Amino acid sequence: MNHTLAIAGRELGSLFVSPVAYVVLTLWSVLAGTFFLSSLIGFDTQIAQASQYGAQEFLAQMNLNDHLITPFFGSMWIVLLFLVPAVTMGLFANEKANGTDELLYTSPIRVWEIVIGKFLAGFAFVGIMTLIVAFFPAILFIYGEPEVGKTAAGLLGLLLVSMSYVGVGALASSLTRNQLIAFVITMVSLLVIGLMLPFIVEVGLGGDSGGGGIGIGPTMRYISTGTHFETLMSGVVDTADLAYFAIVIGVCMVISKSALESVRWR
Amino acid sequence: MAGVVDGVAIEAEGLSKRYGDLEAVRDLSFTVGKGEIVGFLGPNGAGKTTTMRMLTGFLPATDGSAAIAGHDIFADPLNARRAIGYLPETPPLYPEMTVQAYLDFVAKLKDVARGERAQAVSRALDRCGLSDVRRRVIGDLSKGFRQRVGLAQAIVHDPPVLILDEPTVGLDPIQIREIRGLIAELAAPDQGAARHTVILSTHILPEVEAICERIILINRGRKALDQPLSELIAGGQSLEEVFTRATSLDESLDDAPGLATASEAAAAGEEAAP
C-alpha cells in the first residue's frame, strides 16, 4: 500500500511539473466554460421561443437537468475522448523511456503495486477534471432549482467514464515506450468504444435499442461507454452500469500488468 | 586482500539467458563473498549487463538460479531485492524531481522505515557529495552529478550488496576518480560500519586495478576467468594481456570487433586514469 501511494504521488507530482497537466486542465476549463455558456444560451432561447408561441406543454416539461446540465455533461464527455489520452500517455511509457522501470522492477515491490499506483494517479487527475466541471452546475443552484440527485448521478457518470478511459489509456501506455504511440492508440480506441459503437448501433443496425437479448446490436450497446453514461445522466444509478465501469477498469489493470511482465519474460 | 570473507553474498548457479536464438549468457556460475569487491570484466556485448539484470531481478533468467545474501531471486524475490543496491548502466532518474525528493521516493520503494527515511536520505546525500545540490532539479545537473545521484539511489537503503553497471562510463577523469573513491569508501567504510559487497562491471582495465580485489572475466556469455587480482599480478602478467588472451581464446573471426573494442577501451581507460 505504501509503495502504491508513493508511486501514485510521484506520478501526480510529475504530471503537475510537466506542461501536459496545465495544457489539459486549461483546455478542459475553457471548453467547460464555453459549452456551459452555449448550453445556457440554448436553454434560454428555447424558453423564449416556447413562450412566444405559447407552447405551455413544452414549457412545463423544460427543466435545468434535461435541457441544460445533461447536454453540457454530454459535450464534456466528447472532450474527454481527446484529453484523457494526453493525461495517460506517459503513465508507463515514460518509465520505460527514462529507464526508471529498471528502478521499479528491481525494488522490493510487486508489479500490481506499480499498476495500481499508476491507475490511482490517473484517477486523481480525472477527479480534478470532474470537480472543475461540477463547478458549473453548482452556479445553477444559486439561481435555480436543478435536481441534486440527477446532477450528482451525472457527475458520477462523468467521473466513471473518465476513470474507465484512464484504464484504456494506461493499458495503451503499458504496451509501448513511445508516448506518442500511446496517445494515438488511446484516442483511436476511445473514439471506437465511445463514438463509433453507438453510431453503428443507431445507424448501421437500424436503431436496435431494445434492451437485453443476445446479438450484435445489444452487445455493442453494452460495450459502448455512452450507453451506461446516459443511464447515469438520466439519474438512474444502476449497479449494472457501475459493474460495467468496474469491469472495464479491472480488465485494463489485468492486461496492463501482464503486458508489463511479458516484456521482461520474453 | 583486505577482505574478511566470512559468508557468501552472491551465489550464481548456471545462469543462462537466451533471447530467441541468441544466447546472451550461458551457464554462468560464480560466488562472491561478503565484503568482496569484484570486477566484472569483458568486452562490450559479453553479457555483463544481462547478468547483472538477472541478479537484480530485472530480467528473469532462462535457466539457472541465483541467491543474494541467502535469498533466492526466484523463490524470495522481495527479500533478495531488498538486499541489493543497483546502479543500472543508465541511472534511473526522474529528471523533473529534485535530488532530495527523488531519494525520498526511492527510500519508500526500498522499504526504509518512515522514521529512518530522512536520516537515510541525508546520509546518502552526504556520502555522495550531493548535500549542496539536494534542492536542485535532477534534469539540470551535470552528468557527473547525475551519476552520483544514481549511486546515492543505490545506497539509500544501506544494502549489503551493491551491483554497479559501468559506474564511471561517460565521465571525465576527475569525476571518474571521485566515483572510484566513493566506491572504495563504500566497500571499506572507516567508522567500523558493515562492509558492502560490491560487484561492478566495466571494460576499463585500470579501473579494475584501482578498486577491485578479484576479477571475473566473461566473454561471449561465458566465464573465461575468475581470479584474485593479486594472483594475476603476482603471475607477472598485465591485466591487458590477460584480458586479450581470455577474450581471444576461441579465436573466430567474429571475435575481432570485440577485441578492437576491448583494446580501445583499455586505451581510453589509461588516458582517463589519474
Side-chain angles (χ1 to χ4, degrees), chain A residues 3 6-7 10 14 17 95 98-110 264-266, chain B residues 53 56-58 60 78 81-82 86 88 92-97 105-106 108-111 153:
Chain A
H3 295 146
I7 288 168
R10 193 212 59 76
S14 292
V17 172
E95 303 273 0
N98 264 343
T100 41
D101 55 338
E102 207 158 347
L103 166 67
L104 296 182
Y105 296 135
T106 57
S107 293
I109 56 183
R110 296 182 169 86
R264 292 187 298 141
W265 281 91
R266 204 167 288 155
Chain B
R53 285 180 160 178
T56 54
F58 183 64
L78 298 190
R81 288 180 207 165
R82 224 166 257 138
Y86 174 42
L93 308 174
Y94 295 98
E96 71 279 359
M97 292 180 97
F105 171 66
V106 176
K108 282 182 198 165
L109 291 185
K110 307 282 180 185
D111 290 329
Q153 162 276 131

Side-chain angles (χ1 to χ4, degrees), chain B residues 141-177:
Chain B
L141 295 177
S142 68
K143 187 160 181 161
F145 268 113
R146 275 188 235 179
Q147 196 73 20
R148 288 199 213 183
V149 178
L151 204 56
Q153 162 276 131
I155 63 168
V156 72
H157 54 307
D158 204 22
V161 176
L162 283 175
I163 297 182
L164 313 173
D165 197 353
E166 306 206 353
T168 57
V169 75
L171 299 182
D172 70 37
I174 294 164
Q175 293 167 329
I176 288 177
R177 189 159 54 179

Side-chain angles (χ1 to χ4, degrees), chain A residues 28 74-88 129 158 161-162 164-165 183-196 198 225-226:
Chain A
W28 179 253
S75 310
M76 294 320 288
W77 166 55
I78 305 294
V79 180
L80 277 182
L81 300 174
F82 298 92
L83 290 188
V84 168
V87 177
T88 57
M129 290 168 74
L158 198 63
V161 170
S162 326
S164 61
Y165 289 177
F183 180 84
V184 173
I185 295 177
T186 311
M187 200 156 79
V188 170
S189 317
L190 292 186
L191 285 174
V192 169
I193 61 167
L195 289 181
M196 293 270 287
T225 44

